[in-house]
Amino acid sequence: MYRSEIRKILIVIVGAFLNAIAMNFFLIPANVYASGFTGVAQLLSRMIGSFAPFNISTGILLLLLNIPVTILAWRKVGKSFTFYSFLSVILMSLFMEIIPITRWSPDILLNAVFGGVIAAVGVGITLKFGASTGGMDIIAMLLSRKKDKPVGTYLFLLNGVIIVTAGAVYGPEKALYTLVTLYTSTRVVDAIHTRHEKLTAMIITKKSEELKQAIHAKLVRGITRVPAKGAFTNESKEMLLIVITRYELYDLERIIKEVDPHAFTNIIETSGIVGTFRRE
């Protein structure tokens, strides 16, 4: 248990560091806007610096914007998820304050693409291990759980306001490059965070009862038992049918290997589900 928690904390640290690198080395120097509350914090920071007699850094604004969303996550998502998500926000804000803003390339397109990719890797791995980078990630995850659609799709829709605002305030060119960053990050997040993808496992085994109990001890999934008979050996067996998310595949494979190493398992992608399926 402690090893799992330590691994999650390390992942959160790495994700926050990658996001800070994407911001301070690529997006902020090029005036290209990131996705989510980070992009909102960028816009607010620049607008405050332009129209007010004082400045507030992007990192500080990011932390302030995430406070109300953290309260929502605490009520709707869970305490553990919220703790790690807010830890990610705090670390990202800290890293953004420590790491100097440096322009690595004068090419705005390179900054938009590489900034989007690096930030998306940070977001994706953080989501994959049961946390988030806060802000719109939490809102998108709540919508994804409710509608069972990819997180990246909701992030793209929620980020439309950033594109429109960037275009209205700083010209259409900034909006177009922001759109490149958002599209790039959306595709990368969906490639890494695959909880919405479903798989069907067909397990042919002689130890169906033991395997069923072991699976139910680890996974909250329904199992259908179908009588089966080997065509060559005429041995009586059973086939267990179970639909899982891609995240649960590792646990299922480990259970099968421990209980019945001789079981034959066929894993196929599931295009859709009609009926009850636990999405939490």
Side-chain angles (χ1 to χ4, degrees):
M1 179 178 177
Y2 290 110
R3 183 178 299 178
S4 174
E5 296 300 316
I6 291 172
R7 183 177 64 174
K8 187 178 289 189
I9 290 173
L10 290 176
I11 290 295
V12 168
I13 293 172
V14 171
F17 182 74
L18 288 175
N19 273 279
I21 288 292
M23 294 297 299
N24 286 11
F25 286 174
F26 296 98
L27 301 182
I28 291 178
N31 288 322
V32 175
Y33 297 95
S35 63
F37 276 17
T38 309
V40 175
Q42 270 183 277
L43 278 170
L44 289 176
S45 178
R46 187 173 179 189
M47 292 174 71
I48 290 171
S50 300
F51 303 110
F54 57 89
N55 292 317
I56 303 179
S57 69
T58 301
I60 297 299
L61 285 170
L62 177 64
L63 184 62
L64 295 176
L65 287 170
N66 273 280
I67 292 175
V69 179
T70 300
I71 297 173
L72 174 66
W74 189 272
R75 295 176 178 176
K76 298 290 186 179
V77 181
K79 296 180 180 179
S80 176
F81 177 85
T82 305
F83 169 77
Y84 287 109
S85 299
F86 197 62
L87 175 63
S88 174
V89 172
I90 293 173
L91 289 172
M92 182 177 171
S93 300
L94 178 63
F95 287 141
M96 287 180 67
E97 293 297 309
I98 294 174
I99 299 172
I101 297 175
T102 306
R103 180 187 291 271
W104 278 33
S105 172
D107 190 320
I108 190 171
L109 182 59
L110 285 177
N111 284 310
V113 172
F114 278 94
V117 169
I118 294 171
V121 171
V123 171
I125 63 173
T126 306
L127 287 171
K128 194 177 183 71
F129 281 84
S132 82
T133 54
M136 287 189 187
D137 293 349
I138 293 175
I139 298 172
M141 176 165 281
L142 287 171
L143 291 173
S144 178
R145 286 185 176 184
K146 186 175 181 180
K147 299 294 185 180
D148 201 31
K149 300 293 183 182
V151 169
T153 301
Y154 289 112
L155 286 175
F156 192 82
L157 294 174
L158 291 169
N159 282 312
V161 66
I162 297 176
I163 299 172
V164 173
T165 306
V169 178
Y170 299 109
E173 185 182 62
K174 297 299 181 185
L176 292 174
Y177 282 117
T178 298
L179 184 61
V180 171
T181 298
L182 297 183
Y183 179 79
T184 303
S185 61
T186 295
R187 305 321 302 167
V188 175
V189 167
D190 279 345
I192 297 173
H193 181 68
T194 56
R195 187 181 296 275
H196 64 281
E197 294 183 8
K198 309 297 183 299
L199 303 172
T200 298
M202 296 180 286
I203 311 162
I204 300 174
T205 176
K206 295 180 181 179
K207 300 180 178 180
S208 58
E209 184 61 31
E210 297 95 316
L211 198 53
K212 182 202 74 171
Q213 293 177 5
I215 293 172
H216 279 162
K218 183 68 177 179
L219 306 176
V220 186
R221 294 295 173 204
I223 300 173
T224 300
R225 298 171 65 169
V226 181
K229 193 170 189 178
F232 181 74
T233 62
N234 286 322
E235 287 185 304
S236 295
K237 302 179 182 180
E238 275 195 328
M239 180 170 65
L240 305 183
L241 285 173
I242 178 172
V243 180
I244 57 174
T245 65
R246 188 172 292 277
Y247 279 15
E248 294 167 318
L249 180 58
Y250 173 79
D251 287 332
L252 180 64
E253 290 176 336
R254 183 173 55 81
I255 292 168
I256 295 171
K257 187 175 181 180
E258 290 176 356
V259 176
D260 186 4
H262 301 292
F264 177 83
T265 306
N266 183 23
I267 307 291
I268 59 175
E269 292 188 2
T270 302
S271 60
I273 294 175
V274 178
T276 304
F277 183 82
R278 184 177 181 271
R279 295 182 171 90
E280 294 298 323

